[in-house]
Amino acid sequence: MVHIKLRRDHVCAADDYTCSGERVIFVDAKASVQEFLTEVLKAKFLQTSSSHQCLVAKADAEIALVVPDDGAVIPIVDLTAPISIYTINKQVSFSFSLSREQQSAYANYRRRQWGGS
């Protein structure tokens, strides 16, 4: 097992006071990116609001977009790759600051969810 420190953006001012924006999660040393993100989602560490629903997971590289309310992962890297190759520093942050390309990927995901093309 290896530990990875998680950090996340706060959703609102009250969030700053009610809970820490950091947590340590333990995963198998050979866990894939998908397995790691599944554990993060199960931990209910990520929070959302009506206006903030998609976060980018950043380690030593950006690895995925995460939509916690849907339990969805939109890959940036190969989800079957070991998480260890992206977490040399043993940290992953989750941020609402998406690039334009990531915003577009999230919009395409939502369109597919709503039955659009």
Side-chain angles (χ1 to χ4, degrees), residues 33 61-64 74-81 86:
V33 172
E62 293 178 343
I63 57 175
I74 303 165
I76 295 174
V77 299
D78 178 3
L79 295 179
T80 63
Y86 299 106

Side-chain angles (χ1 to χ4, degrees), residues 62-104:
E62 293 178 343
I63 57 175
L65 300 179
V66 181
V67 187
D69 293 347
D70 295 351
V73 172
I74 303 165
I76 295 174
V77 299
D78 178 3
L79 295 179
T80 63
I83 189 63
S84 60
I85 66 174
Y86 299 106
T87 55
I88 308 266
N89 292 320
K90 306 256 188 279
Q91 293 187 47
V92 178
S93 64
F94 294 85
S95 171
F96 292 113
S97 299
L98 277 59
S99 69
R100 287 189 188 272
E101 183 177 305
Q102 293 163 348
Q103 290 172 11
S104 179

Side-chain angles (χ1 to χ4, degrees), residues 10-75:
H10 291 280
V11 178
C12 64
D15 192 22
D16 293 341
Y17 296 104
T18 59
C19 58
S20 171
E22 295 184 357
R23 179 182 287 180
V24 173
I25 191 169
F26 294 89
V27 295
D28 185 284
K30 295 180 182 178
S32 69
V33 172
Q34 179 68 58
E35 291 166 331
F36 165 74
L37 292 172
T38 298
E39 289 302 312
V40 171
L41 289 167
K42 277 193 220 173
K44 304 273 187 215
F45 172 66
L46 303 176
Q47 295 185 352
T48 60
S49 71
S50 60
S51 62
H52 293 79
Q53 297 183 1
C54 183
L55 299 104
V56 60
K58 299 176 186 178
D60 299 331
E62 293 178 343
I63 57 175
L65 300 179
V66 181
V67 187
D69 293 347
D70 295 351
V73 172
I74 303 165

